[in-house]
């Protein structure tokens, strides 16, 4: 009996061993390649390395837009121990300032991967400490940061949550700034944690090119601040301003207020995000009169000293009445512009043929796109002579029956005062590759000669008279010569001209003898003031005064000696001297061969960020301009995930070109 039991046990053990051997043979020999493949798939993965978007600077090398090294946390609920969820919720609640219940609610599931926290900054990540819990992990999730919030928002645009460039130069130059994504193969353990990276199978990402814009950050700040003051003072619905170099077409500043902060773009409506300087059209009113007169002068169809009868303010023309705000009996041609007489310019316009008038207006660029380097531009409306009524030319002569964008108007006005050449407006000064190579450099793009240089000189003097003696007196700056033209036009509301809503504008330039700056100020529906001379002109004056003060060296030769002393005294009061000692010599970044921390002090922010990106070092930027100190000392060994903080300052640069 005992022998029988023993035999049965032995036989059973034999069968079990045989089955195990067969099973092992099947695993190790027959299906070894199949199982090895599955194991390899479970333990390895290919991750995309997202390329950094290129940085954006102003013309003075001030950093405007950069990438912040954020991360996003994920939780694999099937792997995450229930006993650790309370701990995670507590920790994240304290650091991210959200209710504990919020995180507990996210973690209550049993399976699946959830997003626990998006856009966790490097400071918050450091505060969370070393959290090593199965199923909890994070991935790099860089954030695009507009360094100065609302500043130049309509020019810069933003990257949305899907990492798609939207609006501004960010969208227009998408291909140039988006870079090329890389990839890496990673090895994971059984619970999905990262064990190692296959360096030989890593394809690094190539950052996008950096953009250096034509805008001046200081000019942009001045323009936005003064537009906001005017918006509040005159109770307007919105305002637009543009500053341009009339001799090259470079946009030095462009602003729309009410505006938005690209860092929180989703909190704003379409009107606030729309670049109304290039998308919205309006009838310019009296700011259009100089173009009519320029065409007449260029054709020698009038003289400045000839007098015209102005009907005492009311003129019956065809089947309509043309009125002047301020009645006059007689004015000469120059005074017609100075006093902004609709009747005078309408009478003068009858001297030029329809076809010639149309050709001049088309020559100034009206009815066409300016080809600005921004998305969404509209062309405005300029009717062809065949579509004109009997009164169209008269109305067009003082800025009605034609629609323009603010950008079109300032571009055309620049041709009026720069010698007669229409330039294509431009925003890109330079484009620099991720390794510092110059890919593009600005050159002015003349389109055509619109009027003669002699006509341009005459128009400058007439426009000086507008500010000195006429409707633009509130735009006059005592220490530099200013010329310009006021404009007040009724808005079309429900198909008819409103008697309560106006576009109030002023377009001016300085210095008159050698125009360096042209500036357009436009207010939409001001409740106070109404007229361009009362609303927009004083805002222009404030902008012009501040720009001259900021750029005293540039405008010094045009300023009266009495006021030069005043400016120098003001500078001394602020602790400055003519030989500003806050000058440094820019140096290039030199990368150590052993991958230690380079010396970044006195390097430009752009060069410093480019070097850190190439070395894979995370960074945080405080300020802009030039690096004045760094948190990781030069020559130090770089630890994993260590963040280098760069403190920067906007200083005067001497002795070397930044780019």
């Amino acid at each position: 009996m005992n022998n029988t039991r023993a035999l049965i046990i032995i036989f059973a053990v034999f069968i079990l061993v045989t089955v195990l051997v067969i099973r092992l043979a099947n695993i190790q020999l027959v299906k070894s390649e199949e199982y090895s493949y599955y194991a390899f798939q479970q333990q390895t993965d290919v991750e995309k390395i997202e390329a950094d978007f290129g940085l954006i600077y102003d013309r003075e090398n001030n950093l405007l837009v950069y990438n912040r090294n954020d991360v996003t946390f994920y939780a694999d609920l099937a792997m995450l121990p229930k006993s650790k969820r309370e701990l995670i919720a507590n920790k994240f609640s304290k650091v991210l300032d959200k209710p504990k219940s919020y995180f507990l609610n996210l973690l209550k599931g049993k399976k699946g991967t959830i997003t626990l926290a998006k856009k966790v900054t490097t400071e918050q990540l450091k505060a969370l400490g070393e959290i090593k819990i199965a199923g909890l992990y994070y991935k790099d999730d860089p954030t695009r940061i507009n360094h100065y919030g609302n500043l130049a928002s309509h020019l810069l645009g933003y990257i949305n949550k899907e990492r798609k460039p939207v609006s501004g130069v960010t969208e227009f130059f998408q291909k140039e700034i988006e870079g090329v994504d890389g990839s890496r193969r990673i090895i994971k353990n059984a619970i999905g944690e990262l064990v190692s990276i296959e360096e030989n199978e890593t394809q690094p990402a190539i950052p996008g090119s950096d953009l250096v814009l034509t805008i001046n950050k200081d000019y942009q700040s001045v323009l936005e601040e003064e537009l906001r003051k005017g918006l509040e003072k005159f109770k307007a619905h919105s305002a637009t301003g543009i500053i341009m170099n009339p001799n090259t077409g470079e946009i030095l500043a462009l602003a729309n207020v009410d505006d938005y902060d690209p860092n929180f773009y989703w909190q704003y409506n379409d009107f606030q995000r729309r670049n109304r300087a290039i998308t919205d059209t309006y009838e310019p009113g009296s700011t259009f009169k100089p173009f009519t007169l320029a065409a007449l002068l260029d054709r020698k169809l009038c003289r400045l000293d000839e007098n015209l009868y102005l009907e005492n303010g009311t003129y019956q023309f065809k089947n309509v009445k043309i009125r002047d705000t301020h009645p006059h009996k007689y004015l000469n041609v120059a005074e017609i512009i100075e006093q902004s007489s609709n009747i005078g310019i309408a009478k003068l316009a009858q001297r030029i043929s329809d076809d010639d008038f149309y050709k001049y207006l088309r020559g100034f660029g009206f009815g066409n796109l300016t080809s600005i380097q921004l998305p969404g531009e509209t062309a405005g409306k300029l009717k062809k002579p065949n579509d004109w009524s009997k009164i169209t030319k008269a109305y067009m002569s003082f800025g009605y029956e034609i629609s323009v964008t603010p950008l079109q108007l300032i571009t055309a006005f620049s041709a009026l005062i720069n010698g007669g050449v229409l330039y294509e407006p431009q925003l890109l000064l330079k484009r620099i590759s991720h390794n510092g190579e110059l890919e593009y450099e600005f050159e002015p793009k003349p389109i055509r000669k619109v009027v003669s240089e002699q006509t341009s000189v005459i128009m400058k003097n007439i426009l000086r008279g507008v500010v000195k003696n006429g409707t633009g007196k509130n735009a006059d700056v005592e220490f530099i010569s200013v010329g310009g033209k006021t404009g007040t036009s009724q808005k079309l509301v429900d198909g008819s001209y409103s008697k309560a809503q106006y576009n109030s504008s002023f377009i001016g330039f300085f210095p008159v003898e050698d125009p360096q700056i042209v500036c357009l100020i436009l207010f939409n529906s001001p409740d106070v003031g109404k007229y361009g001379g009362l609303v927009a002109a004083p805002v222009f004056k404030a902008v012009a005064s501040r720009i001259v003060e900021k750029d005293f060296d540039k405008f010094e030769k045009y300023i009266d000696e009495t006021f030069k002393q005043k400016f120098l005294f003001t500078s001394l009061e602020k602790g400055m001297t003519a030989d500003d000692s806050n000058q440094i010599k820019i140096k290039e970044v030199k990368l150590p061969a052993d991958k230690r921390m380079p010396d970044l002090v006195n390097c430009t922010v752009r060069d410093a960020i480019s070097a850190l990106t190439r070395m894979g070092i995370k960074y945080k930027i405080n300020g802009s301009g030039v690096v004045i100190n760094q948190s990781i000392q030069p020559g130090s060994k770089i630890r994993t995930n260590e963040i280098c903080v760069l403190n920067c300052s906007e200083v005067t640069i001497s002795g070397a070109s930044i780019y």
Side-chain angles (χ1 to χ4, degrees):
M1 190 67 179
N2 290 336
N3 290 337
T4 301
R5 288 178 179 176
L7 288 172
I8 291 171
I9 293 170
I10 291 170
F11 181 74
V13 170
F14 175 76
I15 294 298
L16 180 61
V17 170
T18 302
V19 170
L20 288 173
V21 169
I22 293 171
R23 180 64 176 161
L24 287 171
N26 184 58
I27 293 172
Q28 295 291 329
L29 300 176
V30 179
K31 293 188 175 182
S32 62
E33 291 187 5
E34 180 182 349
Y35 287 131
S36 294
Y37 172 78
Y38 287 134
F40 181 78
Q41 288 295 102
Q42 290 176 343
Q43 295 174 18
T44 64
D45 193 11
V46 175
E47 284 187 344
K48 180 173 74 173
I49 304 173
E50 291 185 330
D52 283 338
F53 287 97
L55 310 176
I56 303 178
Y57 298 83
D58 83 335
R59 67 185 303 116
E60 303 297 332
N61 196 40
N62 295 309
L63 180 64
L64 301 176
V65 185
Y66 65 95
N67 308 297
R68 191 176 66 198
N69 299 307
D70 294 344
V71 300
T72 291
F73 273 89
Y74 301 91
D76 185 342
L77 298 178
M79 303 292 297
L80 192 68
K82 289 186 177 180
S83 60
K84 299 292 186 180
R85 299 187 184 192
E86 185 88 12
L87 172 65
I88 293 172
N90 268 326
K91 193 81 172 177
F92 276 74
S93 174
K94 290 178 181 178
V95 174
L96 303 183
D97 196 26
K98 286 187 176 181
K100 177 182 174 183
S101 57
Y102 169 81
F103 295 102
L104 287 175
N105 187 53
L106 289 174
L107 295 168
K108 68 181 181 181
K110 294 183 179 180
K111 58 182 180 180
T113 300
I114 57 101
T115 302
L116 189 61
K118 294 182 178 180
K119 301 295 183 182
V120 176
T121 66
T122 50
E123 292 85 355
Q124 291 170 329
L125 179 62
K126 188 175 181 180
L128 287 170
E130 292 291 327
I131 300 180
K132 291 188 177 180
I133 299 174
L136 180 67
Y137 61 98
Y138 63 82
K139 292 183 178 180
D140 290 337
D141 188 9
T143 301
R144 190 73 163 172
I145 300 296
N146 284 56
H147 192 49
Y148 296 98
N150 292 49
L151 186 79
S153 56
H154 294 103
L155 289 176
L156 299 174
Y158 58 91
I159 306 294
N160 68 14
K161 294 178 181 179
E162 289 73 41
R163 286 181 64 78
K164 179 183 177 182
V166 179
S167 184
V169 294
T170 297
E171 180 179 341
F172 190 89
F173 294 106
Q174 175 178 350
K175 291 182 180 179
E176 289 81 358
I177 69 169
E178 65 184 357
V180 180
D181 292 337
S183 62
R184 65 179 184 179
R185 184 176 295 280
I186 61 172
I187 307 299
K188 300 181 290 186
N189 61 20
I191 62 174
E193 293 176 333
L194 176 65
V195 174
S196 64
I197 299 172
E198 295 285 344
E199 296 290 349
N200 59 337
E201 295 190 44
T202 296
Q203 184 69 36
I206 302 174
S209 298
D210 297 341
L211 305 180
V212 183
L213 304 184
T214 59
I215 68 170
N216 181 305
K217 182 181 76 68
D218 290 339
Y219 289 14
Q220 184 74 30
S221 297
V222 166
L223 182 61
E224 292 185 15
E225 288 169 12
E226 296 303 331
L227 286 177
R228 288 193 178 92
K229 290 177 186 177
L231 201 66
E232 182 178 353
K233 180 177 180 180
F234 301 110
K235 310 299 180 188
H237 181 257
S238 62
T240 293
I242 306 175
I243 301 174
M244 179 184 279
N245 182 337
N247 306 302
T248 62
E250 293 168 275
I251 302 292
L252 303 176
L254 184 152
N256 301 280
V257 294
D258 190 5
D259 57 5
Y260 74 106
D261 184 346
N263 299 312
F264 307 98
Y265 66 89
W266 58 90
Q267 298 178 1
Y268 299 84
N269 60 39
D270 289 341
F271 177 82
Q272 292 168 310
R273 292 197 298 264
R274 189 169 73 241
N275 188 351
R276 303 181 293 278
I278 66 170
T279 63
D280 290 16
T281 62
Y282 72 108
E283 292 179 303
S286 295
T287 52
F288 202 76
K289 290 172 183 172
F291 302 106
T292 303
L293 182 58
L296 291 161
L297 290 171
D298 212 52
R299 287 286 182 180
K300 295 181 171 52
L301 297 175
C302 66
R303 302 188 322 274
L304 295 184
D305 60 351
E306 66 174 295
N307 289 315
L308 274 76
Y309 177 55
L310 300 185
E311 314 285 340
N312 291 313
T314 302
Y315 175 41
Q316 183 70 39
F317 179 75
K318 308 296 183 182
N319 61 337
V320 298
K321 287 184 178 180
I322 297 175
R323 291 183 171 86
D324 283 341
T325 302
H326 304 289
H328 296 277
K329 189 171 183 179
Y330 287 97
L331 289 175
N332 65 33
V333 170
E335 290 169 338
I336 284 171
I337 300 299
E338 289 179 1
Q339 303 304 322
S340 201
S341 170
N342 295 337
I343 295 171
I345 200 70
K347 284 189 171 186
L348 286 169
Q350 304 314 306
R351 301 181 182 184
I352 189 169
S353 72
D354 292 356
D355 286 341
D356 282 348
F357 191 34
Y358 174 80
K359 287 176 183 176
Y360 271 100
L361 298 185
R362 181 66 79 175
F364 278 113
F366 297 115
N368 282 331
L369 298 174
T370 68
S371 299
I372 184 66
Q373 296 154 320
L374 291 170
E377 184 187 11
T378 53
K381 186 176 181 180
L382 172 63
K383 294 186 291 187
K384 294 182 179 179
N386 290 340
D387 299 323
W388 291 6
S389 70
K390 293 181 180 180
I391 63 171
T392 293
K393 185 164 62 177
Y395 272 63
M396 286 177 60
S397 71
F398 52 86
Y400 285 90
E401 289 200 33
I402 182 171
S403 65
V404 304
T405 65
L407 181 63
Q408 277 182 328
L409 189 70
I410 194 171
T411 302
F413 195 86
S414 295
L416 202 64
I417 62 168
N418 68 8
V421 180
L422 183 73
Y423 285 95
E424 183 179 297
Q426 294 188 64
L427 267 172
L428 186 62
L429 191 65
K430 295 178 184 179
R431 189 174 71 245
I432 313 293
S433 72
H434 73 283
N435 55 14
E437 294 179 357
L438 181 65
E439 296 178 334
Y440 167 88
E441 189 164 20
F442 166 83
E443 287 185 3
K445 296 181 179 179
I447 300 172
R448 68 181 71 89
K449 185 83 168 178
V450 188
V451 294
S452 69
E453 190 164 347
Q454 181 184 7
T455 299
S456 179
V457 171
I458 294 171
M459 289 307 304
K460 283 193 297 183
N461 292 329
I462 291 174
L463 293 167
R464 172 58 179 157
V466 172
V467 174
K468 200 69 179 173
N469 310 309
T471 58
K473 288 180 180 179
N474 288 329
D476 203 15
V477 178
E478 59 180 355
F479 46 80
I480 198 165
S481 59
V482 169
K485 184 68 188 76
T486 55
T488 309
S489 59
Q490 292 173 285
K491 294 182 63 177
L492 272 172
V493 180
D494 298 327
S496 60
Y497 287 105
S498 170
K499 293 183 179 180
Q501 296 189 47
Y502 294 82
N503 286 308
S504 304
S505 60
F506 182 86
I507 185 165
F509 62 99
F510 60 91
V512 172
E513 57 269 34
D514 182 19
Q516 299 295 309
I517 298 290
V518 58
C519 176
L520 169 65
I521 303 293
L522 170 66
F523 283 92
N524 174 10
S525 302
D527 288 338
V528 178
K530 185 175 78 172
Y531 296 107
L534 298 177
V535 176
V539 175
F540 170 90
K541 177 179 180 177
V543 171
S545 299
R546 291 181 61 183
I547 285 177
V548 173
E549 289 174 5
K550 282 182 175 291
D551 249 353
F552 175 74
D553 290 345
K554 178 178 179 179
F555 298 104
E556 181 181 3
K557 62 182 178 181
Y558 306 108
I559 298 173
D560 182 85
E561 289 296 329
T562 303
F563 292 105
K564 284 183 185 179
Q565 295 303 317
K566 175 185 173 183
F567 277 112
L568 289 172
F569 181 73
T570 303
S571 298
L572 289 169
E573 279 189 324
K574 293 179 180 178
M576 299 170 60
T577 65
D579 298 329
D580 193 350
S581 60
N582 191 27
Q583 293 192 354
I584 64 169
K585 182 160 179 113
I586 297 300
K587 68 181 184 185
E588 295 182 356
V589 178
K590 294 182 179 179
L591 298 182
D594 56 359
K595 291 188 176 182
R596 291 179 176 267
M597 175 57 63
D599 183 2
L600 303 176
V601 175
N602 289 355
C603 297
T604 66
V605 172
R606 183 190 66 80
D607 289 346
I609 290 177
S610 177
L612 294 177
T613 301
R614 292 201 300 273
M615 296 180 69
I617 303 171
K618 294 183 178 181
Y619 56 83
K620 177 186 176 184
I621 307 295
N622 293 325
S624 61
V626 177
V627 179
I628 56 175
N629 61 61
Q630 59 190 84
S631 63
I632 304 177
Q633 294 303 309
S636 302
K637 186 176 181 181
I638 302 167
R639 297 191 293 266
T640 305
N641 291 327
E642 190 172 12
I643 300 165
C644 182
V645 179
L646 302 179
N647 293 311
C648 311
S649 176
E650 297 171 15
V651 297
T652 305
I653 296 165
S654 66
S657 175
I658 294 176
Y659 296 106

